[in-house]
PDB file of all heavy atoms in Angstrom:
ATOM      1  N   ALA A  85     -28.177 -22.535  -7.387  1.00  0.00           N
ATOM      2  CA  ALA A  85     -29.101 -21.717  -6.662  1.00  0.00           C
ATOM      3  C   ALA A  85     -28.304 -20.761  -5.672  1.00  0.00           C
ATOM      4  O   ALA A  85     -28.752 -19.586  -5.653  1.00  0.00           O
ATOM      5  CB  ALA A  85     -30.081 -22.636  -5.849  1.00  0.00           C
ATOM      6  N   LEU A  86     -27.326 -21.216  -5.009  1.00  0.00           N
ATOM      7  CA  LEU A  86     -26.521 -20.422  -4.105  1.00  0.00           C
ATOM      8  C   LEU A  86     -25.794 -19.318  -4.901  1.00  0.00           C
ATOM      9  O   LEU A  86     -25.785 -18.132  -4.464  1.00  0.00           O
ATOM     10  CB  LEU A  86     -25.500 -21.207  -3.344  1.00  0.00           C
ATOM     11  CG  LEU A  86     -25.960 -21.960  -2.152  1.00  0.00           C
ATOM     12  CD1 LEU A  86     -24.937 -22.917  -1.585  1.00  0.00           C
ATOM     13  CD2 LEU A  86     -26.395 -20.975  -1.045  1.00  0.00           C
ATOM     14  N   PHE A  87     -25.303 -19.609  -5.998  1.00  0.00           N
ATOM     15  CA  PHE A  87     -24.561 -18.718  -6.908  1.00  0.00           C
ATOM     16  C   PHE A  87     -25.571 -17.544  -7.290  1.00  0.00           C
ATOM     17  O   PHE A  87     -25.214 -16.397  -7.215  1.00  0.00           O
ATOM     18  CB  PHE A  87     -24.041 -19.453  -8.116  1.00  0.00           C
ATOM     19  CG  PHE A  87     -23.043 -18.596  -8.904  1.00  0.00           C
ATOM     20  CD1 PHE A  87     -21.735 -18.545  -8.603  1.00  0.00           C
ATOM     21  CD2 PHE A  87     -23.478 -17.874 -10.053  1.00  0.00           C
ATOM     22  CE1 PHE A  87     -20.908 -17.752  -9.333  1.00  0.00           C
ATOM     23  CE2 PHE A  87     -22.651 -17.125 -10.822  1.00  0.00           C
ATOM     24  CZ  PHE A  87     -21.324 -17.016 -10.419  1.00  0.00           C
ATOM     25  N   GLN A  88     -26.795 -17.923  -7.734  1.00  0.00           N
ATOM     26  CA  GLN A  88     -27.783 -16.965  -8.078  1.00  0.00           C
ATOM     27  C   GLN A  88     -28.162 -16.094  -6.937  1.00  0.00           C
ATOM     28  O   GLN A  88     -28.154 -14.802  -7.062  1.00  0.00           O
ATOM     29  CB  GLN A  88     -28.947 -17.555  -8.677  1.00  0.00           C
ATOM     30  CG  GLN A  88     -30.073 -16.657  -9.154  1.00  0.00           C
ATOM     31  CD  GLN A  88     -29.575 -15.721 -10.307  1.00  0.00           C
ATOM     32  OE1 GLN A  88     -28.809 -16.152 -11.112  1.00  0.00           O
ATOM     33  NE2 GLN A  88     -30.039 -14.501 -10.258  1.00  0.00           N
ATOM     34  N   LEU A  89     -28.396 -16.647  -5.822  1.00  0.00           N
ATOM     35  CA  LEU A  89     -28.738 -15.856  -4.610  1.00  0.00           C
ATOM     36  C   LEU A  89     -27.631 -14.897  -4.220  1.00  0.00           C
ATOM     37  O   LEU A  89     -27.835 -13.774  -3.845  1.00  0.00           O
ATOM     38  CB  LEU A  89     -29.074 -16.778  -3.443  1.00  0.00           C
ATOM     39  CG  LEU A  89     -30.376 -17.469  -3.555  1.00  0.00           C
ATOM     40  CD1 LEU A  89     -30.448 -18.497  -2.371  1.00  0.00           C
ATOM     41  CD2 LEU A  89     -31.625 -16.477  -3.387  1.00  0.00           C
ATOM     42  N   ALA A  90     -26.303 -15.395  -4.308  1.00  0.00           N
ATOM     43  CA  ALA A  90     -25.203 -14.560  -3.930  1.00  0.00           C
ATOM     44  C   ALA A  90     -25.028 -13.333  -4.839  1.00  0.00           C
ATOM     45  O   ALA A  90     -24.427 -12.386  -4.430  1.00  0.00           O
ATOM     46  CB  ALA A  90     -23.920 -15.369  -3.917  1.00  0.00           C
ATOM     47  N   THR A  91     -25.523 -13.417  -6.060  1.00  0.00           N
ATOM     48  CA  THR A  91     -25.475 -12.259  -6.901  1.00  0.00           C
ATOM     49  C   THR A  91     -26.474 -11.148  -6.574  1.00  0.00           C
ATOM     50  O   THR A  91     -26.321 -10.046  -6.966  1.00  0.00           O
ATOM     51  CB  THR A  91     -25.657 -12.533  -8.400  1.00  0.00           C
ATOM     52  OG1 THR A  91     -26.963 -13.064  -8.608  1.00  0.00           O
ATOM     53  CG2 THR A  91     -24.604 -13.622  -8.904  1.00  0.00           C
ATOM     54  N   GLU A  92     -27.561 -11.596  -5.906  1.00  0.00           N
ATOM     55  CA  GLU A  92     -28.661 -10.668  -5.602  1.00  0.00           C
ATOM     56  C   GLU A  92     -28.818 -10.271  -4.188  1.00  0.00           C
ATOM     57  O   GLU A  92     -29.503  -9.247  -3.945  1.00  0.00           O
ATOM     58  CB  GLU A  92     -29.936 -11.426  -5.995  1.00  0.00           C
ATOM     59  CG  GLU A  92     -30.005 -11.775  -7.425  1.00  0.00           C
ATOM     60  CD  GLU A  92     -31.216 -12.534  -7.802  1.00  0.00           C
ATOM     61  OE1 GLU A  92     -32.145 -12.663  -6.991  1.00  0.00           O
ATOM     62  OE2 GLU A  92     -31.300 -13.079  -9.023  1.00  0.00           O
ATOM     63  N   LEU A  93     -28.186 -10.948  -3.214  1.00  0.00           N
ATOM     64  CA  LEU A  93     -28.459 -10.683  -1.765  1.00  0.00           C
ATOM     65  C   LEU A  93     -27.142 -10.445  -1.042  1.00  0.00           C
ATOM     66  O   LEU A  93     -26.068 -11.050  -1.387  1.00  0.00           O
ATOM     67  CB  LEU A  93     -29.179 -11.853  -1.130  1.00  0.00           C
ATOM     68  CG  LEU A  93     -30.528 -12.154  -1.766  1.00  0.00           C
ATOM     69  CD1 LEU A  93     -31.107 -13.380  -1.136  1.00  0.00           C
ATOM     70  CD2 LEU A  93     -31.507 -11.001  -1.515  1.00  0.00           C
ATOM     71  N   PRO A  94     -27.096  -9.670  -0.043  1.00  0.00           N
ATOM     72  CA  PRO A  94     -25.901  -9.490   0.809  1.00  0.00           C
ATOM     73  C   PRO A  94     -25.596 -10.759   1.586  1.00  0.00           C
ATOM     74  O   PRO A  94     -26.457 -11.513   1.935  1.00  0.00           O
ATOM     75  CB  PRO A  94     -26.221  -8.320   1.760  1.00  0.00           C
ATOM     76  CG  PRO A  94     -27.750  -8.219   1.700  1.00  0.00           C
ATOM     77  CD  PRO A  94     -28.161  -8.755   0.461  1.00  0.00           C
ATOM     78  N   ALA A  95     -24.320 -10.940   1.864  1.00  0.00           N
ATOM     79  CA  ALA A  95     -23.828 -12.164   2.569  1.00  0.00           C
ATOM     80  C   ALA A  95     -24.552 -12.299   3.922  1.00  0.00           C
ATOM     81  O   ALA A  95     -24.841 -13.417   4.268  1.00  0.00           O
ATOM     82  CB  ALA A  95     -22.349 -12.150   2.761  1.00  0.00           C
ATOM     83  N   ALA A  96     -24.725 -11.249   4.629  1.00  0.00           N
ATOM     84  CA  ALA A  96     -25.426 -11.291   5.936  1.00  0.00           C
ATOM     85  C   ALA A  96     -26.812 -11.857   5.795  1.00  0.00           C
ATOM     86  O   ALA A  96     -27.271 -12.645   6.664  1.00  0.00           O
ATOM     87  CB  ALA A  96     -25.435  -9.945   6.590  1.00  0.00           C
ATOM     88  N   PHE A  97     -27.513 -11.503   4.765  1.00  0.00           N
ATOM     89  CA  PHE A  97     -28.860 -12.063   4.559  1.00  0.00           C
ATOM     90  C   PHE A  97     -28.820 -13.512   4.202  1.00  0.00           C
ATOM     91  O   PHE A  97     -29.659 -14.318   4.752  1.00  0.00           O
ATOM     92  CB  PHE A  97     -29.562 -11.231   3.391  1.00  0.00           C
ATOM     93  CG  PHE A  97     -30.941 -11.573   3.228  1.00  0.00           C
ATOM     94  CD1 PHE A  97     -31.913 -10.989   4.028  1.00  0.00           C
ATOM     95  CD2 PHE A  97     -31.396 -12.478   2.218  1.00  0.00           C
ATOM     96  CE1 PHE A  97     -33.226 -11.295   3.905  1.00  0.00           C
ATOM     97  CE2 PHE A  97     -32.692 -12.786   2.082  1.00  0.00           C
ATOM     98  CZ  PHE A  97     -33.668 -12.150   2.913  1.00  0.00           C
ATOM     99  N   LEU A  98     -27.829 -13.930   3.349  1.00  0.00           N
ATOM    100  CA  LEU A  98     -27.697 -15.362   3.146  1.00  0.00           C
ATOM    101  C   LEU A  98     -27.373 -16.114   4.347  1.00  0.00           C
ATOM    102  O   LEU A  98     -28.065 -17.271   4.565  1.00  0.00           O
ATOM    103  CB  LEU A  98     -26.566 -15.557   2.083  1.00  0.00           C
ATOM    104  CG  LEU A  98     -26.765 -15.014   0.662  1.00  0.00           C
ATOM    105  CD1 LEU A  98     -25.475 -15.176  -0.091  1.00  0.00           C
ATOM    106  CD2 LEU A  98     -27.955 -15.694   0.045  1.00  0.00           C
ATOM    107  N   THR A  99     -26.565 -15.628   5.223  1.00  0.00           N
ATOM    108  CA  THR A  99     -26.239 -16.288   6.469  1.00  0.00           C
ATOM    109  C   THR A  99     -27.478 -16.457   7.324  1.00  0.00           C
ATOM    110  O   THR A  99     -27.673 -17.640   7.831  1.00  0.00           O
ATOM    111  CB  THR A  99     -25.239 -15.493   7.203  1.00  0.00           C
ATOM    112  OG1 THR A  99     -24.056 -15.319   6.450  1.00  0.00           O
ATOM    113  CG2 THR A  99     -24.854 -16.094   8.574  1.00  0.00           C
ATOM    114  N   ARG A 100     -28.272 -15.471   7.533  1.00  0.00           N
ATOM    115  CA  ARG A 100     -29.408 -15.559   8.403  1.00  0.00           C
ATOM    116  C   ARG A 100     -30.521 -16.412   7.764  1.00  0.00           C
ATOM    117  O   ARG A 100     -31.120 -17.215   8.458  1.00  0.00           O
ATOM    118  CB  ARG A 100     -30.013 -14.129   8.736  1.00  0.00           C
ATOM    119  CG  ARG A 100     -29.166 -13.362   9.725  1.00  0.00           C
ATOM    120  CD  ARG A 100     -29.927 -12.129  10.241  1.00  0.00           C
ATOM    121  NE  ARG A 100     -30.321 -11.314   9.107  1.00  0.00           N
ATOM    122  CZ  ARG A 100     -29.638 -10.251   8.513  1.00  0.00           C
ATOM    123  NH1 ARG A 100     -28.454 -10.021   9.050  1.00  0.00           N
ATOM    124  NH2 ARG A 100     -30.114  -9.593   7.563  1.00  0.00           N
ATOM    125  N   THR A 101     -30.721 -16.262   6.493  1.00  0.00           N
ATOM    126  CA  THR A 101     -31.791 -17.042   5.850  1.00  0.00           C
ATOM    127  C   THR A 101     -31.482 -18.475   5.594  1.00  0.00           C
ATOM    128  O   THR A 101     -32.356 -19.297   5.850  1.00  0.00           O
ATOM    129  CB  THR A 101     -32.082 -16.349   4.458  1.00  0.00           C
ATOM    130  OG1 THR A 101     -32.312 -14.951   4.685  1.00  0.00           O
ATOM    131  CG2 THR A 101     -33.264 -16.938   3.801  1.00  0.00           C
ATOM    132  N   LEU A 102     -30.248 -18.778   5.183  1.00  0.00           N
ATOM    133  CA  LEU A 102     -29.966 -20.163   4.841  1.00  0.00           C
ATOM    134  C   LEU A 102     -29.261 -20.867   5.903  1.00  0.00           C
ATOM    135  O   LEU A 102     -29.057 -22.127   5.872  1.00  0.00           O
ATOM    136  CB  LEU A 102     -29.004 -20.155   3.560  1.00  0.00           C
ATOM    137  CG  LEU A 102     -29.638 -19.456   2.290  1.00  0.00           C
ATOM    138  CD1 LEU A 102     -28.704 -19.534   1.167  1.00  0.00           C
ATOM    139  CD2 LEU A 102     -30.944 -20.185   1.913  1.00  0.00           C
ATOM    140  N   GLY A 103     -28.772 -20.167   6.933  1.00  0.00           N
ATOM    141  CA  GLY A 103     -28.132 -20.842   8.071  1.00  0.00           C
ATOM    142  C   GLY A 103     -26.659 -21.196   7.681  1.00  0.00           C
ATOM    143  O   GLY A 103     -26.149 -22.152   8.381  1.00  0.00           O
ATOM    144  N   ILE A 104     -26.033 -20.568   6.710  1.00  0.00           N
ATOM    145  CA  ILE A 104     -24.702 -20.941   6.395  1.00  0.00           C
ATOM    146  C   ILE A 104     -23.758 -19.967   7.069  1.00  0.00           C
ATOM    147  O   ILE A 104     -24.108 -18.897   7.480  1.00  0.00           O
ATOM    148  CB  ILE A 104     -24.482 -20.885   4.860  1.00  0.00           C
ATOM    149  CG1 ILE A 104     -24.676 -19.530   4.229  1.00  0.00           C
ATOM    150  CG2 ILE A 104     -25.283 -22.022   4.205  1.00  0.00           C
ATOM    151  CD1 ILE A 104     -24.469 -19.382   2.783  1.00  0.00           C
ATOM    152  N   ASP A 105     -22.539 -20.340   7.276  1.00  0.00           N
ATOM    153  CA  ASP A 105     -21.505 -19.481   7.897  1.00  0.00           C
ATOM    154  C   ASP A 105     -21.283 -18.268   7.065  1.00  0.00           C
ATOM    155  O   ASP A 105     -21.281 -18.285   5.892  1.00  0.00           O
ATOM    156  CB  ASP A 105     -20.201 -20.295   8.137  1.00  0.00           C
ATOM    157  CG  ASP A 105     -19.281 -19.566   8.992  1.00  0.00           C
ATOM    158  OD1 ASP A 105     -19.357 -19.696  10.247  1.00  0.00           O
ATOM    159  OD2 ASP A 105     -18.353 -18.953   8.417  1.00  0.00           O
ATOM    160  N   ILE A 106     -20.929 -17.153   7.790  1.00  0.00           N
ATOM    161  CA  ILE A 106     -20.736 -15.864   7.138  1.00  0.00           C
ATOM    162  C   ILE A 106     -19.551 -16.049   6.162  1.00  0.00           C
ATOM    163  O   ILE A 106     -19.598 -15.412   5.012  1.00  0.00           O
ATOM    164  CB  ILE A 106     -20.580 -14.718   8.083  1.00  0.00           C
ATOM    165  CG1 ILE A 106     -20.534 -13.400   7.357  1.00  0.00           C
ATOM    166  CG2 ILE A 106     -19.402 -14.911   8.952  1.00  0.00           C
ATOM    167  CD1 ILE A 106     -21.780 -12.985   6.721  1.00  0.00           C
ATOM    168  N   THR A 107     -18.520 -16.693   6.535  1.00  0.00           N
ATOM    169  CA  THR A 107     -17.391 -16.813   5.607  1.00  0.00           C
ATOM    170  C   THR A 107     -17.778 -17.570   4.358  1.00  0.00           C
ATOM    171  O   THR A 107     -17.234 -17.211   3.231  1.00  0.00           O
ATOM    172  CB  THR A 107     -16.212 -17.545   6.298  1.00  0.00           C
ATOM    173  OG1 THR A 107     -16.614 -18.868   6.769  1.00  0.00           O
ATOM    174  CG2 THR A 107     -15.618 -16.712   7.433  1.00  0.00           C
ATOM    175  N   VAL A 108     -18.630 -18.541   4.435  1.00  0.00           N
ATOM    176  CA  VAL A 108     -19.020 -19.213   3.177  1.00  0.00           C
ATOM    177  C   VAL A 108     -19.901 -18.324   2.436  1.00  0.00           C
ATOM    178  O   VAL A 108     -19.739 -18.194   1.192  1.00  0.00           O
ATOM    179  CB  VAL A 108     -19.858 -20.493   3.615  1.00  0.00           C
ATOM    180  CG1 VAL A 108     -20.447 -21.113   2.382  1.00  0.00           C
ATOM    181  CG2 VAL A 108     -18.979 -21.524   4.401  1.00  0.00           C
ATOM    182  N   ALA A 109     -20.764 -17.532   3.011  1.00  0.00           N
ATOM    183  CA  ALA A 109     -21.624 -16.646   2.281  1.00  0.00           C
ATOM    184  C   ALA A 109     -20.802 -15.481   1.567  1.00  0.00           C
ATOM    185  O   ALA A 109     -21.072 -15.181   0.406  1.00  0.00           O
ATOM    186  CB  ALA A 109     -22.632 -15.908   3.206  1.00  0.00           C
ATOM    187  N   VAL A 110     -19.799 -14.982   2.237  1.00  0.00           N
ATOM    188  CA  VAL A 110     -18.880 -14.073   1.589  1.00  0.00           C
ATOM    189  C   VAL A 110     -18.135 -14.680   0.408  1.00  0.00           C
ATOM    190  O   VAL A 110     -18.069 -14.015  -0.663  1.00  0.00           O
ATOM    191  CB  VAL A 110     -17.927 -13.441   2.645  1.00  0.00           C
ATOM    192  CG1 VAL A 110     -16.845 -12.608   2.026  1.00  0.00           C
ATOM    193  CG2 VAL A 110     -18.686 -12.610   3.658  1.00  0.00           C
ATOM    194  N   LYS A 111     -17.677 -15.805   0.574  1.00  0.00           N
ATOM    195  CA  LYS A 111     -17.019 -16.428  -0.584  1.00  0.00           C
ATOM    196  C   LYS A 111     -17.905 -16.734  -1.766  1.00  0.00           C
ATOM    197  O   LYS A 111     -17.450 -16.444  -2.864  1.00  0.00           O
ATOM    198  CB  LYS A 111     -16.417 -17.889  -0.067  1.00  0.00           C
ATOM    199  CG  LYS A 111     -15.232 -17.736   0.775  1.00  0.00           C
ATOM    200  CD  LYS A 111     -14.771 -19.141   1.187  1.00  0.00           C
ATOM    201  CE  LYS A 111     -13.561 -19.027   2.111  1.00  0.00           C
ATOM    202  NZ  LYS A 111     -13.086 -20.299   2.608  1.00  0.00           N
ATOM    203  N   TRP A 112     -19.132 -17.111  -1.453  1.00  0.00           N
ATOM    204  CA  TRP A 112     -20.171 -17.249  -2.615  1.00  0.00           C
ATOM    205  C   TRP A 112     -20.312 -15.881  -3.247  1.00  0.00           C
ATOM    206  O   TRP A 112     -20.480 -15.779  -4.425  1.00  0.00           O
ATOM    207  CB  TRP A 112     -21.465 -17.854  -2.050  1.00  0.00           C
ATOM    208  CG  TRP A 112     -21.419 -19.276  -2.053  1.00  0.00           C
ATOM    209  CD1 TRP A 112     -21.294 -20.136  -0.970  1.00  0.00           C
ATOM    210  CD2 TRP A 112     -21.552 -20.212  -3.173  1.00  0.00           C
ATOM    211  NE1 TRP A 112     -21.287 -21.452  -1.376  1.00  0.00           N
ATOM    212  CE2 TRP A 112     -21.453 -21.458  -2.729  1.00  0.00           C
ATOM    213  CE3 TRP A 112     -21.744 -19.997  -4.564  1.00  0.00           C
ATOM    214  CZ2 TRP A 112     -21.610 -22.621  -3.573  1.00  0.00           C
ATOM    215  CZ3 TRP A 112     -21.896 -21.110  -5.325  1.00  0.00           C
ATOM    216  CH2 TRP A 112     -21.685 -22.395  -4.814  1.00  0.00           C
TER     217      TRP A 112
END
């Protein structure tokens, strides 16, 4: 699920929406 979201959304959006650290979102 994270992999799919990371292909479609910017890291900053993943961070705010999922509450994950920005470095993790960028890596994904």
Side-chain angles (χ1 to χ4, degrees):
L86 278 171
F87 192 84
Q88 181 62 37
L89 286 172
T91 64
E92 299 174 10
L93 301 170
F97 187 81
L98 293 173
T99 298
R100 285 191 305 268
T101 306
L102 302 177
I104 59 177
D105 189 82
I106 187 67
T107 56
V108 174
V110 168
K111 286 179 184 179
W112 273 102

